[in-house]
Amino acid sequence: MAERLQKLLAQAGIASRRKAEEFIREGRVAVDGKVVTELGLKIDPEQSVITFDGVPVTFEEKIYLLLYKPAGYVTTLSDTHGRPIVIDLLQNISQRVFPVGRLDFDTEGALILTNDGRLSQYIQHPRYEVNKTYEATVTGIPSGKKIRQLERGIILDGHKTWPAKIRILKHKKDTTVLELIIHEGKKRQVRKMLAAVGHPVKKLKRTAYGNLQLENLQQGKYRFLSQKDLKKIFSGKIPFTFSKIPD
Ligand code: URA
């Protein structure tokens, strides 16, 4: 059924109707690829694709999950090699969720899954600098000099990496466990950074997005995120309104 665009945006949880009108005037909303700045246009959401800041608007109830991904799963929605996919770990979730960012097949740890494109966009946008924390077990004992190099940034694939925060958590025989905090999310970023300074990764786990920690979640299990959890990702301030999720 056709409805006014601002009403549809409010129904989808993007913003209040008044705020949605502002977004339309600002040219942030498009219908079937064309920016609409006129208020009151009637649209049938079954027939048209509405986007907000380039992200398709969905009308399903939004859900936000934190999964402890085990190693041995891919974060794509299907796999041409028939490997297990993270979505197989979900039970009774009817919404079509997707992972926010990626984790390698052999990396374990925190993975947010949602059907809200905005959350994904904000977490990955460099402007919000959402830190991701990793625990990396590497071969050998990295010297203070190498750690400082990584912290300042090194050249990888022709680009300088952004500053990182690194600390040694423990030494075991001929391996070291490091904590790395970075906000970049390039493919195999942590593995490449550590291999570049001569300490290849043997095991990698993401422990947090911002201040949202895995805590005592068991491998392969997930939990629903609250407003409070989402605030932790952005250090207290969520950059947009989430609808209908508990505090
Ligand atoms: N960096 C990596 O190298 N791999 C991951 O899965 C995540 C970050």
Side-chain angles (χ1 to χ4, degrees), residues 102-107 134 182 184 186-192 204 206:
R102 58 184 309 285
L103 282 182
D104 302 328
F105 179 69
D106 40 3
T107 301
Y134 295 90
I182 57 174
E184 260 175 304
K186 299 214 179 79
K187 201 169 171 189
R188 298 185 82 79
Q189 172 101 14
V190 174
R191 291 175 195 277
K192 284 184 178 173
L204 188 59
R206 178 157 63 205

Side-chain angles (χ1 to χ4, degrees), residues 8 38 57 71 80 98 105 113 118 120 143 162 172 190 203 219:
L8 289 171
E38 168 197 344
V57 172
T80 43
F98 54 86
F105 179 69
L113 295 148
R118 295 169 307 157
S120 174
S143 63
W162 285 79
K172 288 188 217 158
V190 174
K203 186 176 170 202
Q219 267 204 40

Side-chain angles (χ1 to χ4, degrees), residues 26 37 67 123-125 128 157 185 207 220 231:
E26 286 166 5
T37 49
L67 168 75
I123 288 183
Q124 296 184 83
H125 198 294
Y128 294 99
D157 303 329
T207 56
K231 279 192 188 145

Side-chain angles (χ1 to χ4, degrees), residues 200-217:
V201 169
K202 289 170 76 96
K203 186 176 170 202
L204 188 59
K205 175 178 174 182
R206 178 157 63 205
T207 56
Y209 286 80
N211 294 323
L212 177 70
Q213 312 269 346
L214 264 183
E215 287 172 6
N216 49 9
L217 201 58

